[in-house]
Amino acid sequence: MSETAQVSSLPLPPMQYVTLFSEENSKRGRTPRPPPLITDSYSMFGNPYNTDDAVIRPLESQNIRRLYPNNYDHRRELKKLNHSITASFLDLVDICIRNPESEARATKIDDLTLLFIHMHHLVNEFRPHQARETLRVMLEQQRRQRLEIAERFRRHYDKACELVQQAVNTIPEPTESNIKLLIDIERVKPSEGNTNSTSCEDGCAEEDRIMCQIIDLL
């Protein structure tokens, strides 16, 4: 069974440009420098633009006749444009049915084009608001994630404190007999230089006598 060929949905990059960014050129600093910043004007999709232009260019700067007043409600104007587009489309269908070669067909298409341009312009005026809302949602999401991390850290901290407290509580309280036992052990601890056991006058070894005293205390 032959393997299925992998086909990319995007065109391949220009190889004469990709080969300039090889590992050897990157190590030696021979990769092409990025293009300079545009400071005056540029062309995009065949339309000229200036760097100091507004993000949303007014219709008058594009030589487009405005169909709504300067002070307007976006929602109301979008509804009016939607109704006008529907009515114009029905008129265009009627013209195409009755007389497709009529000049009214081209006029109606121009009217529809103008209506769609206005609707697209009104929608674009919501882009700054959309950007602000997107940024607000991102910040709220980051804040919520940090609060969740802090809450998990607090729970782990409380659990660690609880385990430490349980370990402390399991340590037995020191008693008088244990204290005496520790004192006696420190007394009888042999020195480093003296490793031989000494005998008492009665013939009993010193270690045996100390062990008997410890047993009597218990």
Side-chain angles (χ1 to χ4, degrees), residues 127-180:
R127 296 300 181 184
H129 175 71
Q130 180 186 12
R132 289 191 298 268
E133 288 297 315
T134 303
L135 180 60
R136 183 183 62 81
V137 172
M138 291 175 58
L139 292 176
E140 288 182 353
Q141 183 178 4
Q142 293 179 5
R143 176 178 175 272
R144 183 169 59 253
Q145 291 176 353
R146 293 178 180 178
L147 290 176
E148 291 176 356
I149 293 174
E151 180 63 22
R152 289 199 300 268
F153 178 79
R154 188 187 63 80
R155 290 199 299 266
H156 288 302
Y157 173 77
D158 294 341
K159 185 65 176 178
C161 292
E162 182 180 355
L163 294 176
V164 171
Q165 187 63 34
Q166 291 178 359
V168 171
N169 295 334
T170 56
I171 299 176
E173 294 292 336
T175 60
E176 184 178 355
S177 60
N178 293 336
I179 295 175
K180 292 181 179 180

Side-chain angles (χ1 to χ4, degrees), residues 2-208:
S2 61
E3 296 182 358
T4 305
Q6 298 291 334
V7 179
S8 176
S9 59
L10 300 176
L12 295 176
M15 298 309 299
Q16 67 273 14
Y17 185 75
V18 173
T19 53
L20 298 177
F21 290 89
S22 61
E23 293 184 1
E24 183 179 359
N25 289 344
S26 298
K27 292 179 181 178
R28 298 184 178 182
R30 296 180 179 178
T31 55
R33 297 180 62 83
L37 297 177
I38 299 175
T39 57
D40 46 7
S41 61
Y42 61 96
S43 177
M44 183 173 60
F45 299 113
N47 297 323
Y49 294 93
N50 294 322
T51 55
D52 56 352
D53 288 342
V55 177
I56 302 175
R57 301 171 61 189
L59 295 173
E60 289 78 8
S61 64
Q62 307 176 43
N63 297 324
I64 298 176
R65 179 171 57 89
R66 182 185 291 269
L67 299 179
Y68 48 84
N70 293 327
N71 298 325
Y72 55 89
D73 181 14
H74 286 78
R75 181 180 301 179
R76 180 181 178 183
E77 296 299 331
L78 283 173
K79 287 182 178 180
K80 290 168 61 177
L81 289 172
N82 188 28
H83 294 161
S84 299
I85 289 173
T86 304
S88 298
F89 179 76
L90 293 176
D91 292 341
L92 178 61
V93 172
D94 184 67
I95 292 173
C96 291
I97 293 174
R98 296 179 182 274
N99 188 6
E101 302 299 330
S102 174
E103 295 181 357
R105 181 175 65 88
T107 303
K108 189 58 64 175
I109 291 176
D110 292 339
D111 293 340
L112 280 171
T113 302
L114 183 62
L115 291 173
F116 275 114
I117 289 175
H118 279 74
M119 178 173 285
H120 191 265
H121 180 75
L122 288 176
V123 171
N124 280 340
E125 288 185 348
F126 282 107
R127 296 300 181 184
H129 175 71
Q130 180 186 12
R132 289 191 298 268
E133 288 297 315
T134 303
L135 180 60
R136 183 183 62 81
V137 172
M138 291 175 58
L139 292 176
E140 288 182 353
Q141 183 178 4
Q142 293 179 5
R143 176 178 175 272
R144 183 169 59 253
Q145 291 176 353
R146 293 178 180 178
L147 290 176
E148 291 176 356
I149 293 174
E151 180 63 22
R152 289 199 300 268
F153 178 79
R154 188 187 63 80
R155 290 199 299 266
H156 288 302
Y157 173 77
D158 294 341
K159 185 65 176 178
C161 292
E162 182 180 355
L163 294 176
V164 171
Q165 187 63 34
Q166 291 178 359
V168 171
N169 295 334
T170 56
I171 299 176
E173 294 292 336
T175 60
E176 184 178 355
S177 60
N178 293 336
I179 295 175
K180 292 181 179 180
L181 177 62
L182 292 175
I183 294 174
D184 292 336
I185 292 176
E186 290 295 333
R187 288 178 180 177
V188 302
K189 184 177 181 181
S191 61
E192 296 180 357
N194 186 14
T195 58
N196 297 327
S197 61
T198 59
S199 299
C200 298
E201 296 179 354
D202 57 355
C204 180
E206 181 69 14
E207 290 83 358
D208 296 337

Side-chain angles (χ1 to χ4, degrees), residues 177 181 184 208-218:
S177 60
L181 177 62
D184 292 336
D208 296 337
R209 185 181 64 81
I210 295 173
M211 186 60 66
C212 292
Q213 291 178 358
I214 294 174
I215 294 174
D216 293 338
L217 291 175
L218 296 176

